[in-house]
């Protein structure tokens, strides 16, 4: 039977000290706050864009709108005003993956294809790209070998559900995909869903009904009323769909059970000298024209706060923080406190935890440069902290 040692007038600390042990400061853990660093990986920047393939900042883009990263680290960029899909390798080499550069509508291989204002891009587990071809009112598919086909929509504007070949899209922008291969598209007043077997339906929102004023909501997805510009869209590992209600400064969440809610943002908009910005929990946070959305493997959501000139992060618990940008309209690399961002648009997150975003004719990266988060020291469960050799 276990017995406790009883010694009159002696303490355990005294016994340890007599044996050469010494008690040190009682701190349990040192936690370092994340240090995020912003760098430019491609694009020469500047107000006037252009077109040039090449290495890193020697390349030229023209209003890159959105981007996505594959499992090997290649980044695919919707180069909106160049009507092309550009590819950036992990080494920083920029090339043209698809699109001739002409504003048009042609399916085909690689640079023989034509697009008209690509607003959204996503990727499936096999490396196929799907893009919202805004100007042609269709969703296009691009295989890993660069073959472009029309995936959904008949090329006429409208909000018509049914088989992909006869469906219509009004103004497709943000696009995302879930683990089952379902595509979700932000399309004017609704979120559309495209199943792998080729059926289009309304997933959330009230068709042809939008509102312009501040209004929180938590209820059936098919009764939700969005603002008139739905922009970025992403899907988390649990199948929740998120979309930016751009003009009303909300981030919406739609669950697989069909419940939609204003998940983050208080809905205040800019006026006079007021520019909404606040980190915090859910509906206490503030955004200023949130645009692009991305999700990482842990379920964190990343937001380009476009008119706020910041990159924001929202945890699964809806806590909003700032990753990059000080609110000034600029383009300065460096750690968060000194970095400046200029009208960021598209955003994506890598498996390594890095975040990439588009801004004025540039592609930039936010990386955590101190991934060693917490180190236990001076812990009574750690014998090395007792002062022993």
């Amino acid at each position: 039977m276990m017995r406790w040692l009883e010694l009159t007038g002696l303490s355990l600390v005294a016994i340890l000290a007599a044996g050469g042990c010494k008690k040190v400061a009682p701190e349990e853990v040192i936690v370092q706050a994340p240090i995020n660093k912003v760098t430019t990986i491609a694009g020469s920047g500047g107000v006037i864009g252009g077109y040039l393939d090449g290495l890193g900042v020697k390349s030229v883009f023209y209003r890159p709108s959105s981007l996505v990263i594959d499992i090997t680290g290649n980044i695919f960029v919707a180069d909106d005003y160049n009507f092309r899909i550009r590819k950036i390798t992990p080494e920083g080499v920029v090339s043209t993956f698809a699109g001739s550069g002409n504003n048009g509508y042609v399916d085909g291989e690689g640079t023989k294809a034509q697009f008209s204002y690509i607003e959204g891009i996503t990727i499936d587990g096999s490396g196929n790209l799907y893009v919202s071809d805004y100007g042609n009112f269709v969703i296009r598919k691009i295989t890993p070998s660069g073959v472009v086909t029309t995936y959904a929509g008949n090329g006429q504007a409208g909000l018509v559900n049914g088989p992909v070949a006869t469906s219509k899209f009004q103004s497709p922008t943000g696009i995302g995909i879930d683990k089952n291969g379902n595509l979700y598209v932000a399309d004017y007043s609704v979120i559309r869903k495209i199943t792998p077997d080729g059926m289009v339906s309304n997933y959330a929102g009230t068709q042809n009904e939008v509102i312009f004023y501040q209004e929180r909501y938590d209820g059936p997805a098919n009764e939700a009323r969005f603002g008139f510009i739905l922009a970025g869209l992403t899907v988390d590992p649990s199948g929740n769909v998120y979309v930016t209600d751009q003009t009303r400064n909300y981030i919406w969440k739609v669950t697989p059970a069909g419940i939609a809610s204003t998940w983050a943002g208080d809905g205040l908009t800019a006026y006079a000298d007021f520019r909404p910005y606040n980190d915090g929990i859910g509906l206490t946070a503030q955004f200023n024209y949130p645009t692009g959305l991305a999700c990482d493997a842990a379920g964190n959501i990343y937001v380009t706060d476009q008119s706020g000139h910041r990159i924001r992060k929202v945890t699964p618990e809806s806590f909003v923080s700032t990753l990059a940008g000080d609110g000034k309209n600029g383009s300065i690399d460096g750690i968060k406190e000194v970095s400046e961002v200029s009208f960021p648009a598209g955003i994506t997150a890598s498996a390594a935890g890095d975040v990439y975003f588009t801004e004025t004719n540039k592609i930039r990266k936010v990386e955590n440069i101190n991934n060693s988060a917490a180190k236990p020291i001076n812990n009574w469960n750690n014998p090395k902290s007792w002062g022993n050799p």
Side-chain angles (χ1 to χ4, degrees):
M1 187 173 78
M2 183 178 291
R3 296 178 181 272
W4 291 101
L5 177 64
E6 297 181 7
L7 295 174
T8 304
L10 291 176
S11 69
L12 176 59
V13 173
I15 295 171
L16 291 174
C21 296
K22 58 184 178 181
K23 183 180 178 181
V24 291
E27 290 93 352
E28 291 284 332
V29 176
I30 287 180
V31 179
Q32 290 180 304
I35 299 176
N36 298 308
K37 181 180 179 182
V38 182
T39 56
T40 301
I41 66 164
S44 59
V47 177
I48 300 175
Y51 169 68
L52 181 67
D53 287 336
L55 181 63
V57 296
K58 295 181 179 179
S59 63
V60 183
F61 294 83
Y62 194 5
R63 193 191 173 275
S65 62
S66 53
L67 72 174
V68 72
I69 189 167
D70 70 13
I71 58 173
T72 60
N74 296 298
I75 298 171
F76 296 89
V77 182
D79 195 1
D80 201 10
Y81 280 24
N82 277 321
F83 312 108
R84 293 177 168 101
I85 303 295
R86 312 285 289 279
K87 178 180 177 180
I88 309 172
T89 67
E91 296 76 30
V93 178
V94 178
S95 61
T96 299
F97 186 66
S100 67
N102 294 320
N103 182 357
Y105 182 24
V106 176
D107 286 337
E109 185 173 355
T111 56
K112 296 178 182 178
Q114 292 181 2
F115 301 93
S116 181
Y117 302 109
I118 307 161
E119 293 298 318
I121 186 169
T122 192
I123 191 168
D124 68 17
S126 300
N128 297 297
L129 300 173
Y130 300 86
V131 302
S132 299
D133 193 345
Y134 181 92
N136 287 318
F137 315 107
V138 293
I139 307 302
R140 315 283 288 276
K141 177 181 178 179
I142 311 171
T143 68
S145 61
V147 176
V148 180
T149 56
T150 299
Y151 189 73
N154 67 359
Q156 299 176 6
L159 291 171
V160 176
N161 294 318
V164 290
T166 57
S167 64
K168 294 181 181 181
F169 292 82
Q170 180 68 38
S171 51
T173 51
I175 187 170
I177 192 167
D178 67 19
K179 61 184 179 182
N180 297 316
N182 297 296
L183 283 173
Y184 301 87
V185 183
D187 190 11
Y188 183 51
S189 61
V190 291
I191 297 173
R192 316 285 293 278
K193 178 179 179 180
I194 310 171
T195 63
D197 59 357
M199 293 298 295
V200 180
S201 62
N202 289 351
Y203 186 69
T206 306
Q207 187 161 314
N208 292 318
E209 184 175 350
V210 297
I211 58 176
F212 299 87
Y213 50 85
Q214 181 182 1
E215 181 184 79
R216 296 178 180 179
Y217 181 81
D218 187 0
N222 62 357
E223 296 178 12
R225 296 187 301 171
F226 299 118
F228 75 100
I229 299 180
L230 294 180
L233 184 148
T234 193
V235 186
D236 74 13
S238 299
N240 298 298
V241 176
Y242 302 82
V243 67
T244 55
D245 192 339
Q246 200 172 45
T247 55
R248 297 195 302 152
N249 292 333
Y250 288 129
I251 309 296
W252 287 75
K253 177 180 180 179
V254 185
T255 70
I259 300 299
S261 60
T262 44
W263 183 64
D266 67 1
L268 291 179
T269 56
Y271 63 90
D273 293 331
F274 173 70
R275 298 293 180 267
Y277 169 67
N278 186 51
D279 287 336
I281 291 290
L283 300 177
T284 68
Q286 293 178 341
F287 298 93
N288 190 3
Y289 219 63
T291 302
L293 288 180
C295 184
D296 66 17
N300 297 299
I301 304 299
Y302 300 91
V303 187
T304 54
D305 198 5
Q306 190 170 75
S307 293
H309 307 297
R310 295 177 174 95
I311 305 300
R312 315 288 289 279
K313 175 182 178 180
V314 193
T315 67
E317 297 77 28
S318 79
F319 182 79
V320 180
S321 60
T322 300
L323 287 187
D326 62 1
K328 297 177 182 177
N329 179 10
S331 191
I332 297 176
D333 289 342
I335 61 173
K336 183 185 78 171
E337 289 74 16
V338 300
S339 64
E340 291 184 1
V341 176
S342 179
F343 296 104
I347 194 165
T348 191
S350 73
D354 297 323
V355 175
Y356 300 83
F357 64 95
T358 67
E359 62 165 46
T360 308
N361 302 322
K362 280 185 178 182
I363 313 301
R364 302 178 75 188
K365 175 182 179 181
V366 184
E367 61 180 324
N368 187 322
I369 59 175
N370 67 327
N371 283 318
S372 55
K375 298 179 180 179
I377 64 168
N378 301 346
N379 189 325
W380 283 100
N381 293 316
N382 177 10
K384 290 186 178 180
S385 72
W386 295 355
N388 296 321

